[in-house]
Structure formats: structure tokens, C-alpha cells
Amino acid sequence: MKKRKIGTALSLVLAAGTLLGACGKSDTNKDTSKGGEKKNDFSVAMVTDVGGVDDKSFNQSAWEGLQKFGKDNGLSKGKGGYDYLQSKSDADYSTNLNTLARQDFDLVYGIGFLMQAAVEEIAKQQKDSHFAIIDAEVKQPNVATVLFKEQEAAFLAGVAAALQTKSNHIGFIGGMEIPVIERFESGFLAGVKAAKPEVKVDVQYSGAFDKAELGQNIASKMYSSGADVVFHAAGGTGNGLFKEASDRKAKDPSKEIWAIGVDRDQNDMGPDVVLTSALKRVDVAVQDLSKKAMDGNFPGGEAIVYGLAEDGVGLAPVNAKADKKADIEAAVKEWVDKIKSGAVKVPGTRDELKNFSAK
């Protein structure tokens, strides 16, 4: 395998605009599948968790980022370019990571917290290979850790939900009770509290990231109990939330039923019901880290953290009536400024939430 130099200490992050610019598209890039000349011999691949590459959420965002990086840098899909392997169960994680490493990909991503143990295991076995783990930390010299301040994006979603609700009753659907989802939950509840303290929030976990039927069942109970806005941080399980909201809206178009997406702008899951989405720019992180590795600056053994200040998280456009939309956007901007300036520190755990004050 081609060995790449492990870089020395790097700054934690670059602004997203800079990151995307650094991966700037060149019209001169050619697809080798059509007989064109390849720009370089760097190759990169990823292993999805059980949510799959088309989960409309976390894995899909990562794959979109990898595709953009590949196309921007003249790579072809497949061995020697950019590719992915899909995991049908957690038993596939180690096998898939090992397969890609043995195929001599220069950088192999493990997408998601659930892959932490597998990345740790294979990185120790394949010491000449470079790996990256999203949403978990692996302290190995040939592994780069990518983390996000999900609580900051979720806080903004909480502000939007609190200002949109008419019943003063909203819901949160989590996938598994792991640190990354606790950050979403804590930030969301803090945002609701900051914008409208009297709002009641139902919190429930499905225990899975790939069970849309569970998401729909939980959403149905929340809406039936009076919630009119529900936010999910549950991967593919959250697809059930959108189905439930859309079904209810179809039955009674006059009823205001809202859902809030996660990771990517999920407006395409139901334009009539999706209020906004808490953005987690996994696509940007994948492009950024891949560029570093391609340039010989792979940050092995380091943790790269993306938050609002780095444009690594944020809030998708708000879909509401004109007057309400203006109020929400103004409030969101105000909180973004406070968070970026350091005036407000958004809680990332339930313990931090207990002591949170937006004043």
C-alpha cells in the first residue's frame, strides 16, 4: 500500500466555505472510466453503519461528501478511486474495514459511533493504513477522529420548535442513548428552554437507527398526545417521523403538524411538514479530512471538532408562514451570534443541561 506521511499538529478546523474551496472543482478533471487522465493516485472509501448509504441522513451525508471529493479531484468510483461498503449488521463492520484496507485505499472511514470498536480493532491490525472515525474517538496514530458540536445545531432547532409550537407541546425522538445523541437531546432542550421555558418536551428513544416503523409509532403517540412539533436524531428510524407527519397532514391539511430533520436538510422528506433541520456537515468533514490526507497531512492521532464557529453545524432554511418565519429567523440569528462569540455555551450532556442558563 502507498504510505502517506502522518502530519504534525493541525488546527482543529477551517471554516466550511474555506474547506469547500480547498476542494474546489476543476473543469479539467476527467473521469478515468471514460479514458481520461486521473488527477492523482489517492483513493478513499467508507464503511456505513447499519443505517445504510441511502438513509436520508448521516450515512448519506458522508457518502455525498465522499462523492463530491472524488469528482472534484478526478477520481473514479471503485477500487483505486472512491467507494463504499454497506453494513447490514454490526458484524460486518470489521470485515468491511479490513476489506477496504486490503484493497489499498489510502484512507478508510468508519461512519458513526457504532463503529468505534471495529475501527480500533482493524487499525491495530493494519498499522500502515489510515482510518478515520466519525462521532467517536479512537486513540491510534493511524486514526483521525472527527467530532461535532451537535448540541449547537440542536439548540437552534429547539429555538425554532419553541417559537413554532401552538400547543406548547413538542417531542424529541432519539436513536440509541449514546453520547452523540445525548448532545442532540441536551442542545434541543436547552434551545426550547431559552426561547420559551413553558413548553413541554416529550423525550423518547427508539433504541435503533434503522427502524422507521419504530420512529413512526413513537411519532404517532407524540402527535396524538398533543405535540405539534417533533425533532428526531435517529438516523433511518427518523424516516418514520416524516411518514407519520405527512400522513396526518394529508388527512387534515388545515392542521399544523411539523417535523424537524437532522444531519442534512431533510425538507425532501415532506415539504409540507418539515419545519427545518439541524445540520451536521458530515459531508464537509469528509471532504476536508480527505483533502488533508491527499496532501500528505493526515492528522493521525488527533481529534478534529466542528461546531457553529467553524460552520460545521447549523440550521437549514425555516419553512413556516411569513410572519412566523421572520420571527424564528431573527431569533436563530441572535442565538448564533451569542454562541459563536462564546457568550452562550450550549450544554452537551444532561448534567450540563441541569445548570444551563441562557441569561
Side-chain angles (χ1 to χ4, degrees):
M1 169 175 177
K2 304 178 292 295
K3 296 182 181 179
R4 299 265 169 182
K5 180 181 178 181
I6 297 178
T8 55
L10 301 174
S11 58
L12 288 183
V13 285
L14 297 174
T18 302
L19 304 183
L20 293 175
C23 300
K25 187 173 182 178
S26 171
D27 292 334
T28 62
N29 290 340
K30 298 180 181 179
D31 190 337
T32 55
S33 64
K34 299 178 181 179
E37 183 179 352
K38 200 170 179 180
K39 184 175 179 181
N40 56 64
D41 63 353
F42 182 79
S43 59
V44 57
M46 59 175 260
V47 176
T48 76
D49 68 11
V50 292
V53 76
D54 57 353
D55 62 354
K56 309 297 184 184
S57 186
F58 187 80
N59 289 282
Q60 183 168 327
S61 179
W63 177 232
E64 288 171 351
L66 203 63
Q67 289 178 95
K68 187 176 189 307
F69 172 80
K71 292 172 182 177
D72 284 356
N73 289 280
L75 308 181
S76 300
K77 183 180 180 302
K79 187 176 179 180
Y82 65 95
D83 209 349
Y84 75 90
L85 288 180
Q86 188 153 294
S87 303
K88 295 181 179 180
S89 73
D90 55 7
D92 295 331
Y93 296 160
S94 294
T95 299
N96 286 342
L97 288 166
N98 196 41
T99 295
L100 293 175
R102 288 180 177 277
Q103 288 179 356
D104 279 351
F105 279 94
D106 291 290
L107 176 60
V108 178
Y109 287 90
I111 307 299
F113 181 90
L114 298 177
M115 298 190 65
Q116 182 178 29
V119 171
E120 181 99 38
E121 174 193 358
I122 302 304
K124 289 180 179 178
Q125 295 176 9
Q126 302 283 357
K127 294 184 178 180
D128 287 335
S129 298
H130 287 165
F131 299 90
I133 177 77
I134 307 287
D135 274 354
E137 188 169 7
V138 173
K139 295 182 178 180
Q140 295 293 330
N142 59 335
V143 180
T145 292
V146 177
L147 302 173
F148 295 84
K149 295 181 180 178
E150 293 89 355
Q151 65 269 30
E152 294 181 348
F155 182 95
L156 302 180
V159 170
L163 295 180
Q164 178 62 46
T165 181
K166 291 185 175 179
S167 65
N168 282 346
H169 186 176
I170 61 184
F172 172 83
I173 301 175
M176 299 177 71
E177 293 197 59
I178 55 179
V180 59
I181 306 303
E182 183 179 353
R183 292 197 288 274
F184 274 116
E185 177 194 338
S186 301
F188 183 67
L189 296 179
V192 172
K193 179 181 178 180
K196 202 173 180 183
E198 65 270 25
V199 172
K200 173 186 175 182
V201 185
D202 290 335
V203 175
Q204 188 169 340
Y205 280 76
S206 65
F209 290 110
D210 59 346
K211 304 293 183 184
E213 65 277 11
L214 290 180
Q216 183 169 3
N217 183 53
I218 295 172
S220 177
K221 291 178 180 177
M222 287 183 171
Y223 288 131
S224 294
S225 68
D228 57 357
V229 184
V230 178
F231 170 48
H232 90 90
T237 297
N239 294 343
L241 162 63
F242 300 118
K243 185 177 188 310
E244 182 64 24
S246 295
D247 288 351
R248 286 175 178 257
K249 187 70 173 179
K251 289 180 181 178
D252 185 359
S254 66
K255 193 163 187 175
E256 289 206 30
I257 293 290
W258 296 102
I260 296 179
V262 75
D263 295 336
R264 57 188 288 274
D265 187 348
Q266 295 191 304
N267 182 261
D268 59 347
M269 298 298 290
D272 293 337
V273 296
V274 176
L275 178 64
T276 185
S277 299
L279 300 179
K280 178 174 174 179
R281 300 302 306 273
V282 183
D283 56 337
V284 168
V286 165
Q287 292 172 68
D288 178 41
L289 183 55
S290 297
K291 180 65 165 58
K292 284 181 169 68
M294 184 177 70
D295 291 343
N297 297 316
F298 176 69
E302 297 181 28
I304 305 175
V305 183
Y306 296 82
L308 262 182
E310 299 78 29
D311 294 325
V313 301
L315 195 71
V318 175
N319 175 29
K321 293 181 179 179
D323 56 340
K324 186 68 74 172
K325 176 183 173 73
D327 289 343
I328 293 174
E329 288 178 339
V332 167
K333 183 181 184 306
E334 180 182 346
W335 286 109
V336 166
D337 291 342
K338 290 180 179 179
I339 295 169
K340 284 187 174 182
S341 71
V344 171
K345 184 178 185 301
V346 180
T349 66
R350 293 171 187 141
D351 285 340
E352 291 176 354
L353 178 63
K354 292 176 183 177
N355 300 316
F356 173 73
S357 174
K359 297 180 179 180

